[in-house]
Amino acid sequence: MTVPSIVRTALMPLANAGRPAAGLVAGALAQLPALLIMALPWVSYDDIVTVPEILLSVFVPLGGIALVAPLLTGLQRRRFRAAGVDIPRPPRPEKPGGGRLWYAHAERQLRYHLLAGPAVALGGVLVLLGAAVGIVAATVYVWIWALPFNWRIDHPGYSTRAAYVTAGGLVLLYGGAWAAGALVRLDARNGQALLGPSREELLARRVEEVTESRAGVVDAADAERRRIERDLHDGAQQRLVSLAVNLGLAKVTMTDLPEDARRVIDEAHREAKGAIQELSDLVRGLHPAVLEDRGLDAALSGLAERAPLPVHVRVDLASRPAPAIEAVAYFVVSEALANVVKHAQASRADVTVERFGGILLVVVSDDGVGGADAADGTGLAGLAKRVASVDGTFSISSPVGGPTIVTVELPCAP
């Protein structure tokens, strides 16, 4: 290792201390507004001797800092951003519990402006003063040689003493460089912890983002089901209908065909009509057109008419809910009625859909044998997942012997 590289390595901590030192200066300057607010009562009056005057001189500035805390926080955020440290703003309190989060954030701001920030600024001032003393001490030989020659003659042994002073100055410089970096890092951590969002606020923001993302996925899936339903209804189903019509015409008009050919045409006609019915059921299961065109009342009435047992439907809605909520409510009733038909051995069923403020309440009940359990892996488990996809709640009461009551609450904007 050459001498210049040794010198360069030795001087590197001092060369890298410039940015932390500038950060300490900026931090100290940024604390001046709060310091002036705190000092204003003490410099405005000649004598503050009574207890009320002392209390006012302490608590009035505290109230002033509390009022201007957002401005001071904005100033500190800009300072940190200039130093390469981004401190995001906390989320606005728009939901229940947001006031508590706002109060906690305001309390953290005051802790920074009254405690953490001034403490780091004071430490920075001391470090900068120590560095200035270190510079003077480390260059003591320059100052000595700037003195008259007679002074050096009159002070024998000054070189030894100057060497100790120089060593002390270098210790101050290197220690100050390390302390400056440590204080800047401490200030950045304090700023992020006290001026930025807390872990609870970050979690709340993440939950909101995930909720919005999931709502977007649900809406996209619902839109995709609508598209598939339209494509099947307007494309494949219409072609099957045309095929069935042609086969029916062929069966009626081509009376001179051999019996085997007529039998094949008849069988193809029956298969085409069966395929149309299956495709119609599939389309209705994806997203019934009547639900989109006429709403829940008409769609659920259609379900009741197709059910092989009496179903009483009551829908009380002043306005239509969101399409995704409508679709979930429809499929809840459809699957619940399918379970009634397959397993309940019921003689009748009742469907009630009502809206209470921001809740869409769906209740499906029957007078069957009961004993249904969502944990058995039946269609009820799928219903619970579908309801949960829109932040709804699903519950079922089905004692052995009946009745079975499925209750679903879906969030619905008022």
Side-chain angles (χ1 to χ4, degrees):
M1 182 179 288
T2 62
V3 173
S5 62
I6 294 176
V7 174
R8 193 161 49 247
T9 303
L11 294 179
M12 188 174 296
L14 299 180
N16 294 336
R19 188 178 181 88
L24 292 179
V25 172
L29 294 176
Q31 292 298 325
L32 285 179
L35 179 62
L36 292 176
I37 293 174
M38 292 297 296
L40 187 61
W42 302 92
V43 300
S44 300
Y45 301 101
D46 294 333
D47 295 317
I48 300 178
V49 294
T50 65
V51 173
E53 289 176 340
I54 294 175
L55 293 178
L56 286 175
S57 299
V58 171
F59 287 105
V60 170
L62 289 178
I65 289 181
L67 289 176
V68 300
L71 298 177
L72 296 177
T73 300
L75 175 64
Q76 295 291 352
R77 283 201 184 98
R78 286 192 290 272
R79 175 177 72 86
F80 280 116
R81 192 179 301 116
V85 179
D86 186 29
I87 299 179
R89 295 180 180 274
R92 294 181 179 273
E94 298 176 352
K95 294 187 176 181
R100 179 177 57 83
L101 292 179
W102 177 88
Y103 177 81
H105 177 65
E107 185 267 337
R108 294 199 311 275
Q109 288 186 74
L110 288 179
R111 273 197 288 156
Y112 181 85
H113 296 309
L114 295 175
L115 298 175
V120 172
L122 178 60
V125 170
L126 294 177
V127 167
L128 293 175
L129 290 176
V133 173
I135 291 174
V136 173
T139 57
V140 65
Y141 278 107
V142 176
W143 304 109
I144 290 176
W145 285 99
L147 294 173
F149 179 77
N150 292 335
W151 185 93
R152 295 195 294 273
I153 296 297
D154 296 336
H155 295 80
Y158 72 87
S159 295
T160 303
R161 292 191 294 272
Y164 287 123
V165 173
T166 301
L170 291 175
V171 169
L172 281 176
L173 284 177
Y174 280 95
W178 174 85
L183 282 175
V184 167
R185 290 190 295 271
L186 177 62
D187 193 27
R189 286 197 296 269
N190 288 337
Q192 290 174 329
L194 299 178
L195 300 181
S198 66
R199 186 174 182 180
E200 185 179 6
E201 290 169 335
L202 291 175
L203 181 60
R205 177 184 293 178
R206 179 59 180 159
V207 168
E208 290 179 3
E209 292 174 352
V210 170
T211 301
E212 292 175 0
S213 175
R214 185 178 64 180
V217 171
V218 171
D219 291 340
D222 184 64
E224 184 66 11
R225 281 197 299 269
R226 292 168 185 257
R227 184 191 65 79
I228 294 173
E229 180 269 332
R230 287 194 301 269
D231 291 347
L232 290 176
H233 183 272
D234 299 337
Q237 191 174 20
Q238 296 303 318
R239 297 184 67 179
L240 282 174
V241 169
S242 177
L243 174 62
V245 170
N246 291 333
L247 289 172
L249 289 174
K251 185 173 67 172
V252 172
T253 57
M254 296 181 179
T255 57
D256 56 345
L257 291 176
E259 185 63 26
D260 291 343
R262 290 178 58 82
R263 190 164 51 250
V264 169
I265 292 176
D266 186 57
E267 180 67 22
H269 188 216
R270 284 197 302 271
E271 290 292 333
K273 290 194 293 184
I276 291 172
Q277 183 60 43
E278 291 181 4
L279 187 58
S280 178
D281 293 339
L282 174 63
V283 169
R284 191 180 300 113
L286 286 172
H287 193 91
V290 67
L291 177 62
E292 185 171 356
D293 297 337
R294 298 174 57 190
L296 268 176
D297 197 353
L300 296 183
S301 298
L303 281 178
E305 290 175 2
R306 292 190 298 272
L309 75 165
V311 178
H312 176 260
V313 177
R314 184 171 70 87
V315 179
D316 185 10
L317 296 177
S319 61
R320 293 184 63 174
I325 300 299
E326 268 191 342
V328 171
Y330 173 84
F331 287 117
V332 164
V333 175
S334 176
E335 184 64 26
L337 290 180
N339 286 336
V340 170
V341 173
K342 293 178 183 178
H343 310 292
Q345 303 176 26
S347 61
R348 61 167 290 126
D350 294 282
V351 176
T352 302
V353 180
E354 297 178 286
R355 185 169 177 173
F356 298 96
I359 296 296
L360 184 68
L361 178 66
V362 180
V363 180
V364 182
S365 61
D366 66 74
D367 59 355
V369 297
D373 187 359
D376 289 341
T378 63
L380 295 175
L383 276 185
K385 293 179 180 179
R386 186 185 288 269
V387 170
S389 69
V390 292
D391 283 336
T393 60
F394 174 90
S395 63
I396 180 170
S397 172
S398 183
V400 176
T404 297
I405 302 176
V406 174
T407 304
V408 170
E409 294 182 1
L410 302 173
C412 190

